[in-house]
Amino acid sequence: MIANSSVFDSTQIWLEFSAQQQNQAWEKSQSFSLPSSRWNAYLNQICLTTVLPWLQEEYAPKAKVWPNNAVLPSFWEIVNGTAIVLDDTRFILIPSEAIDRSELRVPQEWVDIPSWVADYYLAVQVNSDDRYVVIWGYATHEQLKKGSYDIRARTYSLAANDLISDLNVLWVSRQLAREQTTRAEVTSLDILPQAQAENLIQRLGNSAIIEPRLAIPFQLWGALLEHGGTRQQLYYQRMGLNEQQSIIDWLRSGVSGIAQEIGWKRIELQPGFAGARGVELTDDEAILSRQLQIAGQQYELQVFPLRNLEQPTWRFQLQNSATGGVIPGGFKLRLLTEDLQPFEGNEDVATTAQEILYIDVAVAPGEGLVWEIEPFPENYDR
């Protein structure tokens, strides 16, 4: 009989999930575009809500979803797998309902998109009828790259006897990670011009295309997904959603649900408030704020419109959340165009410790921007 906690059958790990977990996963999965996407979301939700608590309890209390829970639907709509991070180590959970456990098969996206690459890939069998999962083996990225590649399905696979079945070995390996190579080199992907990205989103956003991941060359597909903004737009398009991502809309009508889940909030200010360095806000008297964890400290990114300027101008401002805290030398705040191109005055660098970093930028109607901070915040999704 399977216990409520982990049970070791040889070296494999068996974990139960409850009827309530199953029902919740099923309900959440119904909001996807196609039966195949709904089933994929169901398996991944079951896998995540069963395996992550076990990981946190047994090995890694600080383990968490990458990039964050709010954007998981934009992954599960199009690809199997869920990423979990612990410090600088990344794991990919690959669920399957297959009974025979003959191989681990991983979508190419998790192996060849540079920012998606993980250290370890865990094979997880989901038994929906008897409500349990089995973590029956794992492989490193380097092992997968040496495995079999299926050009039609765009997957990498390893036979069961090529996997490591004892997860204790994984934790020992992780402790020795500095001496062990887990990731193979992968080729970087070209940045898509904005017009091309928008055309691909319109084309692949048609939910009649059952497997959009196979409809275009991988170099284009991978580049489309690696940019978090275009990946989210593709998801919205396939779902027929009109998710507002405009800062102006957020200031006027409130921050959208998904943006709130990611961490954005609208802060009402008292009339007459002056921003840092004496710059006054517009009559909206509100700012957008997001808390960020960077190099072990809390920071706040603020976005607000500026007053009495000829063109609509916005300030992006980074500051330490602690009273009297500073931004260390070497930090960078950067803005890019939607297709990730730099422009004049798009970066502010802390040459020494200072109170804030900020960039003022005039934005044309309909124009979009992407923000970056170096070092990257935890769970940053471009």
Side-chain angles (χ1 to χ4, degrees):
M1 180 176 177
I2 303 169
N4 290 328
S5 59
S6 59
V7 172
F8 291 85
D9 176 8
S10 181
T11 56
Q12 296 172 355
I13 294 172
W14 298 62
L15 304 166
E16 281 188 332
F17 55 88
S18 66
Q20 181 181 12
Q21 285 175 285
Q22 187 175 33
N23 292 336
Q24 289 175 344
W26 185 255
E27 289 173 5
K28 289 182 178 181
S29 72
Q30 299 311 296
S31 61
F32 289 77
S33 67
L34 296 169
S36 56
S37 301
R38 291 192 281 273
W39 183 248
N40 182 61
Y42 168 75
L43 290 179
N44 277 275
Q45 183 70 32
I46 285 290
C47 179
L48 176 62
T49 57
T50 307
V51 175
L52 180 56
W54 171 79
L55 280 174
Q56 292 169 331
E57 181 178 350
E58 296 291 330
Y59 292 105
K62 294 183 179 180
K64 54 188 175 183
V65 171
W66 176 89
N68 53 68
N69 283 285
V71 301
L72 287 179
S74 68
F75 288 85
W76 295 344
E77 170 69 18
I78 50 182
V79 68
N80 182 33
T82 306
I84 292 174
V85 292
L86 173 61
D87 299 326
D88 58 352
T89 304
R90 185 178 297 168
F91 310 86
I92 307 296
L93 307 178
I94 302 293
S96 170
E97 73 273 27
I99 298 174
D100 59 7
R101 305 182 202 162
S102 61
E103 65 177 3
L104 168 63
R105 185 172 290 270
V106 179
Q108 185 178 3
E109 290 86 340
W110 292 115
V111 181
D112 284 340
I113 296 179
S115 63
W116 289 28
V117 168
D119 299 279
Y120 303 103
Y121 298 76
L122 277 60
V124 183
Q125 180 196 16
V126 178
N127 187 314
S128 191
D129 292 335
D130 296 325
R131 295 205 299 271
Y132 67 84
V133 305
V134 184
I135 308 172
W136 58 272
Y138 77 92
T140 66
H141 180 261
E142 188 175 53
Q143 287 176 285
L144 275 172
K145 286 292 285 184
K146 296 176 181 177
S148 299
Y149 176 69
D150 185 331
I151 193 170
R152 292 188 175 181
R154 292 185 186 169
T155 57
Y156 287 88
S157 62
L158 285 171
N161 56 12
D162 291 325
L163 302 183
I164 303 169
S165 59
D166 188 350
L167 258 70
N168 289 314
V169 175
L170 186 155
W171 301 110
V172 173
S173 299
R174 183 177 175 272
Q175 293 173 358
L176 302 174
R178 293 181 180 178
E179 304 173 13
Q180 182 188 49
T181 301
T182 56
R183 301 187 186 188
E185 290 188 9
V186 294
T187 304
S188 61
L189 299 170
D190 292 336
I191 296 171
L192 294 179
Q194 185 63 20
Q196 185 178 18
E198 290 174 356
N199 288 336
L200 289 174
I201 290 169
Q202 287 297 319
R203 173 184 166 190
L204 303 175
N206 183 351
S207 60
I209 299 177
I210 296 176
E211 291 193 275
R213 62 183 297 271
L214 303 180
I216 58 176
F218 180 79
Q219 291 295 313
L220 295 178
W221 175 249
L224 190 70
L225 296 194
E226 188 163 35
H227 187 321
T230 53
R231 188 193 67 245
Q232 284 284 109
Q233 288 176 41
L234 176 62
Y235 167 69
Y236 298 148
Q237 188 78 14
R238 290 183 64 81
M239 294 299 299
L241 298 174
N242 184 27
E243 176 70 18
Q244 293 291 342
Q245 298 192 79
S246 164
I247 286 177
I248 296 175
D249 289 329
W250 291 353
L251 286 174
R252 289 175 177 168
S253 307
V255 178
S256 70
I258 290 178
Q260 288 182 50
E261 290 185 60
I262 293 172
W264 287 103
K265 61 182 179 180
R266 181 177 184 268
I267 301 177
E268 301 286 348
L269 299 174
Q270 297 298 320
F273 172 88
R277 305 195 182 179
V279 177
E280 293 185 78
L281 303 185
T282 68
D283 293 334
D284 292 301
E285 300 296 355
I287 66 173
L288 295 175
S289 171
R290 179 173 172 180
Q291 294 293 319
L292 303 170
Q293 183 86 2
I294 308 175
Q297 293 194 47
Q298 283 290 121
Y299 295 84
E300 181 182 11
L301 178 64
Q302 296 181 348
V303 185
F304 49 84
L306 303 182
R307 178 184 285 174
N308 300 329
L309 297 175
E310 294 181 2
Q311 294 178 287
T313 302
W314 298 81
R315 170 162 292 187
F316 288 73
Q317 179 173 294
L318 179 69
Q319 61 193 39
N320 196 306
S321 296
T323 303
V326 297
I327 297 172
F331 271 47
K332 298 179 182 179
L333 174 63
R334 181 186 301 117
L335 297 179
L336 302 168
T337 63
E338 283 185 284
D339 50 358
L340 307 182
Q341 299 303 309
F343 52 88
E344 185 178 356
N346 75 311
E347 186 174 271
D348 192 12
V349 181
T351 54
T352 60
Q354 56 194 67
E355 293 183 4
I356 66 168
L357 292 176
Y358 75 96
I359 301 169
D360 295 342
V361 58
V363 183
E367 185 178 7
L369 292 171
V370 174
W371 63 269
E372 288 185 344
I373 296 169
E374 291 184 13
F376 283 145
E378 287 188 14
N379 295 351
Y380 173 70
D381 188 25
R382 185 179 266 158

